[in-house]
Amino acid sequence: MRRASSDLLILAAGTIVLACLPAIASPYWLHVAIQALLFAYLCSAWNLVGGFNGALSFAHPIYLSIGGYMAAYLGAEYHISPWIGLLPAIVLSMVVCVCIELIVTRFKLPVLSYALATMALSNIARFVVRSIPALGGVAGLAVPLNAKGWTQFQPGSKSGFFYIILIATVAIVLIVIWFRDSKLGLQARAVRDNERAAEAIGVKAVMVRMKTGLLSAALTTFAGVFYCEFIYIADPITFLSPMLFIEVILFTAVGGMGTLWGPVVGALLLTPTGEILRGSIGATNPGVDGLIYGIIFVVIILLMPHGIISRHRGERSLLRRFFSMEALRPSSSRR
Amino acid sequence: MNDPIILLQTGISGLLFGSVYGLIAFGLTLVFALTRLLNFAHGSFMLLAMYGSMVLSQRFGIDPYLSVLIHVPVFFGIGYLLYRWIFAGLMESELIVVVQLTLGFVFIIQSALQLTFTADPQTVRTFATNSRLAFGDIVIRTPLIIALVTAAVLAAALFWMLQRTDFGRFIRASVQDPVAAALMGIDVNRVRILAFSIAIALLGIAGPLAIPMWVLEPAAGMEITLFGFIVVVLGGMGSFVGAFVGGLIVGVAEAYGNFFLPGTLAPVVPYALFILMLLFRPSGLFGEA
């Protein structure tokens, strides 16, 4: 409990500092800050499944696009506010999540099966969405232009969007604090660290994975609604391409998988870095930015395999193990 | 339009191209069975080989099929260094760290290719690109026949190696029980490093074989990897025969998907097949329950 109170203190301080940002930042940097917070939110939501539960899920583009497309479709066709559209979107995401979990549990090879099945499903979703004319096909669905005002999820200014995503990020950090200290969080970590041992002491791994997945799916759906309203469009390339969630996974890995602050720190550090790279050298040489970015990922993961904020204290880095040649000794134990 | 000859021709073309998937999956199976490493950059390395062939063909006029002679030693070396410098150090760490690291490689390779060759899709011509062979009423593109023959010869060689040579026996022993294999005097690390290098070298052959049928795009790496893994799982995790049979099945499924479904929806077929497989036979075709 002491841990939770110091986390709340950090959260409060961080929120106060960030809340002042719209007063001093230029529109460009405010835009970058919104993206950084959106990524912090997405990484935190993914971290529930990928970090705390060890299930390498690529299904999140599906939940993201359910949010985005539901908001755009209901808005354009029935003039329903995205805030209300959020509800059916979350319900749909949760139904999809249950189906995915049911498919994945049929197959016993934890990390690989989860990753492959979810990746295959999000590719199916991408091709299916692309070929449905009612969802705008390859071009996507635009948010109706006449929808304005806070009730329509269109605050009309960058700072409005900034405060929405700031509040959402604070909320998700609070949810993760609750999750981490709850029985479910403890069970999720037990399943991640040793599924058989967890089952042996009465933890139902399938149910734990299902509950954690549902929480993560519902939270990701909100990010989909936000993203769609923020960029005024839901399209297959932005919402369903695998690259977006590869970035989410890498940000989380760099920050620290399975920790409260890891995903937030990773996203808040790396999103602006990427933005600066794209804006400077990336503008004249498209690709250099991604190259440097990728090298940063790889180097950080090699130096700090559990991220900047590691859940294992005092662990020796891979690079040091590499130089000591310890890794070349014959051994085959793997966790 | 549902002329039986055309249907048959589509199926045979798919079957022939499936042999390339078989080669990719064979490498993945070898690596996974021996090291439990999940290399998500596998497809990106194949993409590197394809772009390599493009450069050799545009700059020096070397036919992509001939570039195999350069690719095999180069990619064997890349595989060797990668394993020696990076993956050997990861054998003790969690699976998820390896996945993250190789996802980082995907990012690097994709960006480097985009930087060097732009993001525009490109095609490379080989001597056989436009030629066709007729067998009675059935007309098959020559590159597909070259792919099948090469893949079949390689498969035969690889199976011969696995079954009949000492190195093959070392591989199988290390797959079954690495500790016992080490106790019998097998240098398991050496087996692993060579097997990993062979898997990457195979991509140096698979890349040029696929060139006449594919469009080169920097972002294609992840998709190739996913196809490779799908084939591995379809065939049954760890089964070398299964890897090739799975490749042929995915090839046929893809060909019929393109034939029967509209262009935007067609790529769904192999993935849907994979999900159905997970539902009804999760152990794969040749897997043990």
Side-chain angles (χ1 to χ4, degrees):
Chain A
M1 276 302 104
R2 219 176 58 87
R3 198 155 66 128
S5 59
S6 64
D7 284 332
L8 289 174
L9 217 64
I10 299 171
L11 180 64
T15 311
I16 291 169
V17 172
L18 282 174
C20 303
L21 208 63
I24 49 169
S26 67
Y28 171 73
W29 286 108
L30 201 56
H31 187 89
V32 174
I34 294 171
Q35 280 186 322
L37 282 173
L38 177 64
F39 268 104
Y41 181 95
L42 281 173
C43 293
S44 296
W46 185 82
N47 184 39
L48 291 174
V49 171
F52 284 106
N53 204 6
L56 193 71
S57 169
F58 287 88
H60 283 63
I62 302 178
Y63 311 136
L64 190 77
S65 51
I66 287 176
Y69 273 97
M70 189 70 90
Y73 184 75
L74 291 182
E77 293 287 315
Y78 305 103
H79 308 289
I80 294 174
S81 159
W83 294 107
I84 298 167
L86 185 58
L87 288 175
I90 287 179
V91 171
L92 184 57
S93 280
M94 289 170 108
V95 171
V96 170
C97 177
V98 170
C99 296
I100 290 175
E101 297 292 336
L102 288 179
I103 292 172
V104 170
T105 48
R106 301 238 343 136
F107 187 62
K108 289 284 171 203
L109 248 179
V111 178
L112 179 68
S113 68
Y114 209 95
L116 288 183
T118 52
M119 219 188 265
L121 286 166
S122 45
N123 269 317
I124 292 177
R126 178 156 54 108
F127 294 123
V128 169
V129 166
R130 253 185 11 184
S131 39
I132 298 177
L135 295 180
V138 181
L141 268 187
V143 171
L145 285 172
N146 54 5
K148 285 202 166 51
W150 284 90
T151 54
Q152 296 295 321
F153 215 120
Q154 285 295 343
S157 68
K158 282 248 153 60
S159 53
F161 278 115
F162 178 81
Y163 284 117
I164 294 178
I165 194 68
L166 181 62
I167 292 168
T169 309
V170 170
I172 206 169
V173 170
L174 291 172
I175 291 171
V176 177
I177 292 177
W178 163 80
F179 175 85
R180 183 192 63 188
D181 299 338
S182 72
K183 189 178 166 194
L184 180 62
L186 207 60
Q187 288 174 331
R189 270 168 285 167
V191 170
R192 171 193 70 195
D193 291 338
N194 193 334
E195 187 164 337
R196 262 190 223 164
E199 292 262 8
I201 53 167
V203 177
K204 290 204 166 45
V206 177
M207 283 314 289
V208 169
R209 204 168 287 143
M210 184 85 87
K211 285 181 192 163
T212 316
L214 284 173
L215 180 61
S216 178
L219 290 167
T220 307
T221 310
F222 172 79
V225 174
F226 177 85
Y227 200 23
C228 167
E229 295 297 323
F230 179 55
I231 61 173
Y232 300 107
I233 193 166
D235 64 324
I237 295 164
T238 318
F239 281 73
L240 282 161
S241 101
M243 279 329 265
L244 180 77
F245 266 86
I246 289 184
E247 272 190 279
V248 166
I249 294 172
L250 289 173
F251 288 176
T252 313
V254 165
M257 287 267 209
T259 62
L260 169 66
W261 294 110
V264 178
V265 169
L268 293 188
L269 280 179
L270 289 167
T271 315
T273 311
E275 207 53 50
I276 292 169
L277 284 172
R278 250 188 299 280
S280 52
I281 38 177
T284 44
N285 303 298
V288 187
D289 49 327
L291 187 63
I292 297 174
Y293 214 34
I295 292 172
I296 293 176
F297 289 141
V298 167
V299 168
I300 295 184
I301 293 169
L302 279 178
L303 289 173
M304 293 177 278
H306 292 285
I308 298 171
I309 296 170
S310 171
R311 59 187 157 89
H312 303 266
R313 278 166 211 277
E315 191 197 43
R316 293 204 295 149
S317 79
L318 280 179
L319 208 69
R320 280 182 53 189
R321 269 198 262 159
F322 160 62
F323 280 120
S324 66
M325 292 298 147
E326 186 183 316
L328 292 177
R329 279 180 220 153
S331 160
S332 64
S333 66
R334 278 200 82 94
R335 263 165 287 160
Chain B
M1 125 152 193
N2 288 349
D3 184 356
I5 296 284
I6 297 180
L7 273 181
L8 192 64
Q9 197 166 299
T10 310
I12 291 176
S13 299
L15 196 69
L16 299 183
F17 190 68
S19 59
V20 176
Y21 291 139
L23 275 187
I24 304 170
F26 185 93
L28 277 173
T29 301
L30 193 62
V31 171
F32 184 78
L34 270 174
T35 63
R36 304 276 141 191
L37 289 173
L38 285 179
N39 181 7
F40 274 89
H42 203 71
S44 303
F45 285 111
M46 175 161 161
L47 203 57
L48 271 184
M50 296 172 77
Y51 273 98
S53 296
M54 187 181 89
V55 171
L56 289 172
S57 136
Q58 286 175 351
R59 291 276 165 81
F60 305 105
I62 299 173
D63 194 85
Y65 286 121
L66 275 180
S67 60
V68 164
L69 297 175
I70 301 166
H71 283 339
V72 170
V74 168
F75 278 79
F76 188 90
I78 293 176
Y80 191 90
L81 294 179
L82 261 183
Y83 191 87
R84 176 76 181 72
W85 283 346
I86 293 182
F87 290 114
L90 293 169
M91 290 304 294
E92 305 289 315
S93 52
E94 287 163 75
L95 201 57
I96 208 151
V97 176
V98 180
V99 173
Q100 289 154 4
L101 194 75
T102 52
L103 285 177
F105 288 157
V106 174
F107 213 95
I108 292 180
I109 293 176
Q110 183 175 332
S111 309
L113 288 175
Q114 193 195 340
L115 174 66
T116 325
F117 303 103
T118 75
D120 302 332
Q122 311 196 40
T123 53
V124 187
R125 289 185 54 85
T126 68
F127 80 92
T129 297
N130 287 332
S131 77
R132 283 171 170 70
L133 288 179
F135 302 89
D137 287 338
I138 298 170
V139 183
I140 302 287
R141 293 182 62 194
T142 314
L144 289 170
I145 295 175
I146 297 175
L148 178 78
V149 171
T150 318
V153 169
L154 269 173
L158 289 166
F159 282 116
W160 175 79
M161 179 195 81
L162 278 177
Q163 297 299 328
R164 293 271 179 265
T165 65
D166 277 348
F167 182 62
R169 279 185 270 269
F170 291 169
I171 289 180
R172 284 183 293 141
S174 311
V175 167
Q176 275 174 12
D177 191 335
V179 178
L183 289 174
M184 295 301 119
I186 297 173
D187 187 346
V188 177
N189 277 312
R190 217 177 80 86
V191 171
R192 284 178 177 159
I193 198 168
L194 287 176
F196 188 85
S197 316
I198 290 173
I200 301 288
L202 278 177
L203 296 174
I205 303 173
L209 287 183
I211 272 187
M213 272 72 70
W214 279 357
V215 174
L216 276 69
E217 276 177 286
M222 200 64 203
E223 208 140 339
I224 303 176
T225 305
L226 187 54
F227 258 71
F229 275 125
I230 285 178
V231 170
V232 169
V233 175
L234 268 178
M237 212 71 212
S239 159
F240 293 107
V241 181
F244 275 102
V245 178
L248 301 182
I249 293 172
V250 168
V252 172
E254 195 186 26
Y256 281 123
N258 285 326
F259 187 73
F260 285 113
L261 293 175
T264 44
L265 199 58
V268 160
V269 174
Y271 300 115
L273 183 75
F274 174 67
I275 297 294
L276 287 177
M277 189 77 183
L278 283 187
L279 281 173
F280 295 108
R281 197 177 156 78
S283 55
L285 287 176
F286 292 81
E288 299 129 27

